[in-house]
Amino acid sequence: MSSTITICDTCRAPGTLPDLDGPRDGAKLADLVEAAAEKAGVPTRRVSCLMGCEHGCNVAVQAPGKLTYVMGTFTPDAEAADAIVDYARLHGESDSGVVPYRTWPQGVKGHFRARIPALDTGSDTP
């Protein structure tokens, strides 16, 4: 099962001032992630605000029945986009969403902000 990358398109990179005439850093990162993900066959979606403004350039990697990982403080560049997509591909290959540290792409190390437990997919949950 593939994992989806959710990208905040309203983020600003930490320490940057708003560019009133251009796209936000999150939108720049989203463009790059979407391009890399399309080549890799990884689904993406954009949202306006993952509420990680303190960290900027936030993404979530998620799939039904698996742990969700939220990452931030990315620079909106091709290297970050490729690392995010590579991590999402590994997440998709995992049964639980856990990706062994030794296989993490270098570009995601130090960017993890939260790990969210999978929702119970049993039929007896409300």
Side-chain angles (χ1 to χ4, degrees):
M1 171 190 312
S2 65
S3 296
T4 298
I5 304 168
T6 300
I7 314 142
C8 176
D9 64 3
T10 57
C11 284
R12 290 190 178 102
T16 62
L17 296 174
D19 178 358
L20 301 177
D21 296 326
R24 291 189 179 215
D25 295 316
K28 293 174 187 176
L29 182 63
D31 288 342
L32 293 164
V33 170
E34 288 167 345
E38 185 176 354
K39 291 177 189 173
V42 175
T44 62
R45 66 182 183 148
R46 289 184 186 216
V47 297
S48 293
C49 197
L50 284 174
M51 295 186 74
C53 303
E54 182 178 310
H55 302 290
C57 289
N58 295 287
V59 301
V61 176
Q62 53 200 152
K66 296 184 180 188
L67 291 165
T68 294
Y69 290 89
V70 180
M71 297 176 269
T73 320
F74 286 105
T75 302
D77 60 26
E79 184 179 329
D82 289 342
I84 292 164
V85 170
D86 288 345
Y87 182 83
R89 186 184 49 73
L90 294 168
H91 183 272
E93 293 170 359
S94 167
D95 290 336
S96 65
V98 174
V99 176
Y101 179 81
R102 69 183 174 283
T103 64
W104 289 5
Q106 186 63 38
V108 300
K109 292 179 180 177
H111 292 274
F112 288 85
R113 301 293 166 243
R115 181 173 79 173
I116 302 165
L119 289 175
D120 183 3
T121 57
S123 60
D124 60 346
T125 57

